[in-house]
């Protein structure tokens, strides 16, 4: 198992992971042009976070990708996790730890985390809290 920065050549394998998750939600249809644009943006700039997990065969089986942007209401920047998943046991936690370490090297980022639009299992929330992320508010979603 290897966790490493994502590269442009990982696109097809990460796209496969994303599509596997999106099929669970019939309200969401993939927009492949947007997916490719966002992947290229996240991988091509050090302002954003993009790491993948490879299994022992070199197949990408997980990723954490986060977009850094200007804070709309305050000074400094924020960073939102857009995708976080891994099928290899324990590596999702490692990805989140890498993200947290990366955040500590970016003093311009004042707010970072995620607001999922899907149900998250209690073990995942326990991990997130154990790593120091705190819950503020919640997501209220209406699919149309």
């Amino acid at each position: 198992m290897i966790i490493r920065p994502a590269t442009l050549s990982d696109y097809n394998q990460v796209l496969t992971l994303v599509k596997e998750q999106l099929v669970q939600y019939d309200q969401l249809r993939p927009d492949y042009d947007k997916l490719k644009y966002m992947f290229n943006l996240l991988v091509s700039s050090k302002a954003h976070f993009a790491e993948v997990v490879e299994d022992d065969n070199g197949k990408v089986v997980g990723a954490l990708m986060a977009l850094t942007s200007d804070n709309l209401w305050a000074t400094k920047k924020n960073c939102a996790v857009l995708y976080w998943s891994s099928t290899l046991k324990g590596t999702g936690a490692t990805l989140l730890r890498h993200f947290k370490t990366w955040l500590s090297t970016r003093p311009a980022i004042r707010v970072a985390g995620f607001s999922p639009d899907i149900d998250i299992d209690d073990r995942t929330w326990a991990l997130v809290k154990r790593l120091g992320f705190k819950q503020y508010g919640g997501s209220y979603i209406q699919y149309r």
Side-chain angles (χ1 to χ4, degrees), residues 49 95-105 131-133:
F49 183 89
L95 283 169
L96 191 59
R97 284 186 191 96
H98 284 203
F99 176 61
K100 188 157 186 220
T101 299
W102 177 84
L103 286 171
S104 71
T105 68
L131 291 178
F133 290 87

Side-chain angles (χ1 to χ4, degrees), residues 2 12-13 36 53-54 59-60 64 69 72 99 101 113 131:
I2 296 172
N12 288 329
Q13 292 185 78
K36 185 155 192 141
V53 178
E54 280 185 3
K59 179 182 175 189
V60 173
L64 192 152
S69 61
L72 297 176
F99 176 61
T101 299
L131 291 178

Side-chain angles (χ1 to χ4, degrees), residues 13-78:
Q13 292 185 78
V14 172
L15 179 62
T16 298
L17 295 172
V18 170
K19 287 187 334 189
E20 287 171 359
Q21 281 197 328
L22 283 177
V23 298
Q24 301 173 45
Y25 309 99
D26 59 345
Q27 305 95 330
L28 302 174
R29 290 187 327 250
D31 182 325
Y32 297 106
D33 291 334
K34 286 180 186 175
L35 283 165
K36 185 155 192 141
Y37 170 80
M38 188 57 66
F39 184 85
N40 288 340
L41 177 70
L42 295 172
V43 169
S44 299
S45 172
K46 294 210 179 281
H48 312 296
F49 183 89
E51 284 192 357
V52 295
V53 178
E54 280 185 3
D55 66 12
D56 293 335
N57 299 317
K59 179 182 175 189
V60 173
V61 294
L64 192 152
M65 307 208 147
L67 176 71
T68 301
S69 61
D70 290 330
N71 190 312
L72 297 176
W73 313 113
T75 61
K76 303 276 186 172
K77 298 193 176 289
N78 59 8

